[in-house]
Amino acid sequence: MKLYSIETGNFMIDGGAMFGVIPKVMWKNKYPSDENNYCNCSMRSLLIIDGNRKILIDNGCGDKQDEKFFSHYYLNGETNLFDSLKNAGYSPDDITDVILTHLHFDHCGGGVKYNKDKSKLKLLFKNAKYYVSKEQLECAVNPNIREVAAYPKENFLPMIESGQLELIEKEGKLFENLKIKFFNGHTKGLLIPYINYKGKTIVYVSDLIPVVANISLQWVSSYDLFPLTTLKEKEDFLHDGFNNDYILFFGHDLYNECCTLQKTKKGIREKEIFTLDEFTNKQLAVGS
């Protein structure tokens, strides 16, 4: 198995929204912001090469929405999905499976694009199956007023119309070395992948824990629909993560890619911070 961090670009979001009820005097020491309180966040995907499968988890926001839509998010950064895949040695046509943790625009928008004259939408990963939880698709098709702006229909309708979208209804094993669990605090049917890599469990935590600072239980994002559910889910997840020595892989933390966990007097917190490459190279060295 090979693992690659796939950077698709960055976007800016309000720090108050990112950290909920936590005052800026506390969160500013954990995650930097600009003079307007905007925090720069990554839209990081994970590519898994396992035998004949080339699995991509999430794919960023893409570029097909109009200028008005993107004006709220200040897209930035020198990386993009195409170049990151190319740097890893792959193209969109190589991808066999696309797992979408959920259908908010910053996690699934890159999977659909316009043709050359912008007259028709098509799937970027034309040879892949797309996977999302059934409950999450229902949320996207019939969004509540809180989430409606996060679900542009052009991001997911082409997946349905192509027949390449597969709905996941049960937790458990999806592929040989990958299982999924559902979480419902951020949005209904958030799908979290757990990857078995050389005996270690790597968890793509998505918006369950957007950045390392969100590991603290009370640091719940205002984007979460059900914050008390998130609180309980995080508590259970972090205990499992500590007890089972999980490696957490962050999709939105611009500064921290992966971490392990430790138990402290204040609860479970991050322990070691490192990149995915540092982790895989270490595992390869141990194996040799």
Side-chain angles (χ1 to χ4, degrees), residues 218-232:
Q218 298 91 332
W219 294 48
V220 174
S221 169
S222 292
Y223 294 112
D224 288 10
L225 292 183
F226 308 101
L228 294 181
T229 300
T230 295
L231 194 66
K232 177 59 175 171

Side-chain angles (χ1 to χ4, degrees), residues 36-89:
N36 296 313
N37 292 336
Y38 275 91
C39 297
N40 203 10
C41 295
S42 65
M43 290 178 283
R44 185 180 296 119
S45 301
L46 178 61
L47 176 62
I48 305 165
I49 311 301
D50 194 12
N52 293 326
R53 289 195 181 276
K54 300 171 180 65
I55 306 161
L56 185 66
I57 302 176
D58 285 350
N59 51 53
C61 68
D63 59 5
K64 63 187 172 299
Q65 268 73 44
D66 59 26
E67 184 177 343
K68 181 180 179 182
F69 181 89
F70 285 127
S71 68
H72 301 291
Y73 300 103
Y74 307 98
L75 301 187
N76 66 92
E78 298 180 357
T79 58
N80 62 68
L81 177 59
F82 293 92
D83 289 344
S84 293
L85 286 172
K86 183 179 179 181
N87 289 339

Side-chain angles (χ1 to χ4, degrees), residues 38-223:
Y38 275 91
C39 297
N40 203 10
C41 295
S42 65
M43 290 178 283
R44 185 180 296 119
S45 301
L46 178 61
L47 176 62
I48 305 165
I49 311 301
D50 194 12
N52 293 326
R53 289 195 181 276
K54 300 171 180 65
I55 306 161
L56 185 66
I57 302 176
D58 285 350
N59 51 53
C61 68
D63 59 5
K64 63 187 172 299
Q65 268 73 44
D66 59 26
E67 184 177 343
K68 181 180 179 182
F69 181 89
F70 285 127
S71 68
H72 301 291
Y73 300 103
Y74 307 98
L75 301 187
N76 66 92
E78 298 180 357
T79 58
N80 62 68
L81 177 59
F82 293 92
D83 289 344
S84 293
L85 286 172
K86 183 179 179 181
N87 289 339
Y90 300 93
S91 75
D93 290 353
D94 294 323
I95 303 303
T96 60
D97 305 277
V98 178
I99 297 174
L100 301 172
T101 60
H102 57 307
L103 294 174
H104 288 171
F105 76 93
D106 53 312
H107 292 261
C108 73
V112 177
K113 66 174 184 175
Y114 277 112
N115 59 6
K116 288 185 178 180
D117 63 5
K118 292 193 173 183
S119 62
K120 186 178 179 181
L121 290 166
K122 61 180 183 178
L123 297 189
L124 175 64
F125 306 105
K126 63 183 181 181
N127 299 318
K129 280 188 177 181
Y130 288 62
Y131 301 83
V132 73
S133 74
K134 181 179 180 182
E135 190 167 24
Q136 177 60 192
L137 181 64
E138 291 170 352
C139 291
V141 172
N142 299 293
N144 60 68
I145 193 169
R146 277 281 307 275
E147 290 187 289
V148 64
Y151 290 129
K153 294 189 182 299
E154 57 268 32
N155 280 345
F156 59 87
L157 287 182
M159 299 180 207
I160 301 172
E161 293 163 357
S162 71
Q164 289 172 242
L165 183 64
E166 186 165 322
L167 301 182
I168 307 299
E169 297 186 56
K170 295 182 180 179
E171 296 182 327
K173 181 178 176 181
L174 185 59
F175 304 128
E176 182 62 32
N177 289 301
L178 189 149
K179 68 178 183 180
I180 53 99
K181 291 186 178 181
F182 298 142
F183 294 81
N184 297 293
H186 176 64
T187 183
K188 291 289 187 180
L190 177 68
L191 185 159
I192 298 295
Y194 293 61
I195 302 103
N196 176 21
Y197 177 79
K198 299 183 181 300
K200 289 282 189 177
T201 299
I202 301 174
V203 185
Y204 184 96
V205 290
S206 186
D207 284 348
L208 172 65
I209 306 176
V211 302
V212 167
N214 290 115
I215 289 175
S216 298
L217 289 182
Q218 298 91 332
W219 294 48
V220 174
S221 169
S222 292
Y223 294 112

Side-chain angles (χ1 to χ4, degrees), residues 19 21-32 213 216 218-219 266 269:
F19 300 115
V21 299
I22 304 302
K24 184 181 180 182
V25 70
M26 293 177 66
W27 64 253
K28 71 177 182 179
N29 297 317
K30 296 286 189 178
Y31 204 96
S216 298
Q218 298 91 332
W219 294 48
K266 293 184 177 181
R269 297 288 189 272

